[in-house]
Amino acid sequence: MISDPNLILYACIAKGTTILAEFSCKEPGIESLAQKCIEKTPPFHSMFSHTVSKRTHTFLIDDPFVYFIISREDLHKSESFWFLDRLKTASEDFLLTGLIVGTDDLTPNCLQSHFNPVFSELMALDLVFVGSPAKDSRNPSMDSDRGKGTMVAPLLGQPIEGLKKKKRSGGLEVNGGDGVGMDNTVDLSDDFRDFSISMQKTGALGSGGERQKAKQTWRKHVWVVLILDLLVCATLFGIWLWVCRGFQCIDA
């Protein structure tokens, strides 16, 4: 169980670089960042987690599917992998139902309606998802975009009247008006740049490690073949000596 669902900013199921179903909070740019992260899925891994700019990007990779979340760094790693593992199980169970035939022609967000309740259940949220059947939706700020599940975080307090300060810290810019509200703009470009650099380093290390491992395996196979050849030759030579009783065949 996720201790604090508000720590999860984004979650998705993808096949290759195609996102099949996703859940995101209303944070500007989070979906484009997630798409770029999916495109940079680290090779040679089944699980991967990386924290940058106080956000943790966590992958669970079961080729050709990728299960991915972006969370705040306060979310414990074990909770992240628990969430992804449950999402993977739900995906496997859905594929076993036979509602879709084959996975070669899956289109973006084609599984969204099936996984909206799954996302809600995993985070123990009582949410009304856009695009899902609902008799009454009292929140007009929830709009549809390709049928994706979205969530609007509740305000934790009322705006302070006369607030005119402007802060910029860690890419978060807050503008205060005449006590009528606040406008949050999140700059995620630095996040992806750092994440991309980390992925490149990880990919280089993984590729180098795989190359070294393959080289060691090849050497081991060569030695095994040489030793087997030597044993066969020695055995044949011994049989020849036994048949000829030494070197009598040569003397004859």
Side-chain angles (χ1 to χ4, degrees):
M1 186 68 67
I2 300 299
S3 58
D4 185 357
N6 291 323
L7 296 178
I8 294 182
L9 305 177
Y10 180 89
C12 76
I13 304 169
K15 179 181 180 290
T17 59
T18 302
I19 295 175
L20 307 178
E22 60 186 337
F23 171 89
S24 72
C25 66
K26 281 290 187 179
E27 183 168 306
I30 193 71
E31 293 169 12
S32 60
L33 170 65
Q35 180 65 59
K36 293 176 182 178
C37 291
I38 289 295
E39 293 170 0
K40 295 285 186 179
T41 298
F44 315 117
H45 289 76
S46 59
M47 295 185 294
F48 182 81
S49 179
H50 174 68
T51 300
V52 57
S53 300
K54 296 184 178 181
R55 289 183 175 86
T56 300
H57 309 77
T58 308
F59 297 81
L60 178 62
I61 304 165
D62 183 23
D63 192 56
F65 294 100
V66 178
Y67 307 89
F68 173 70
I69 64 170
I70 300 175
S71 63
R72 301 195 185 280
E73 63 178 354
D74 297 332
L75 185 67
H76 198 275
K77 187 179 294 186
S78 62
E79 292 185 82
S80 298
F81 284 116
W82 175 89
F83 180 92
L84 293 177
D85 184 66
R86 293 294 296 272
L87 194 59
K88 175 176 175 286
T89 300
S91 175
E92 292 172 343
D93 291 343
F94 173 74
L95 292 176
L96 289 174
T97 61
L99 293 177
I100 59 173
V101 179
T103 59
D104 294 333
D105 299 322
L106 295 177
T107 57
N109 294 97
C110 63
L111 303 182
Q112 189 64 52
S113 61
H114 299 286
F115 281 90
N116 280 340
V118 174
F119 288 124
S120 179
E121 180 183 357
L122 290 180
M123 292 187 289
L125 297 176
D126 185 15
L127 298 178
V128 176
F129 283 91
V130 175
S132 61
K135 294 181 179 179
D136 183 18
S137 177
R138 295 185 174 85
N139 194 343
S141 63
M142 298 179 71
D143 53 85
S144 78
D145 181 9
R146 295 181 296 154
K148 292 176 289 190
T150 57
M151 174 184 71
V152 179
L155 293 175
L156 299 180
Q158 297 296 328
I160 301 176
E161 184 176 356
L163 181 65
K164 295 181 179 292
K165 294 183 180 179
K166 181 178 180 179
K167 293 183 180 180
R168 184 171 185 86
S169 175
L172 178 63
E173 184 177 296
V174 181
N175 296 322
D178 294 330
V180 294
M182 293 185 292
D183 179 21
N184 294 336
T185 303
V186 180
D187 182 6
L188 297 173
S189 58
D190 291 340
D191 284 16
F192 179 70
R193 183 174 64 251
D194 295 341
F195 179 84
S196 180
I197 292 173
S198 174
M199 289 298 96
Q200 291 174 3
K201 291 180 179 179
T202 301
L205 290 174
S207 178
E210 289 293 319
R211 198 178 299 115
Q212 183 68 20
K213 185 177 180 180
K215 193 173 181 180
Q216 292 175 354
T217 302
W218 177 81
R219 286 179 178 176
K220 185 182 294 184
H221 287 170
V222 169
W223 276 108
V224 170
V225 170
L226 289 176
I227 292 172
L228 288 176
D229 286 343
L230 183 61
L231 289 175
V232 170
C233 291
T235 302
L236 292 175
F237 182 67
I239 293 173
W240 180 79
L241 289 176
W242 177 74
V243 172
C244 293
R245 296 184 180 181
F247 295 95
Q248 292 181 9
C249 294
I250 299 176
D251 295 339

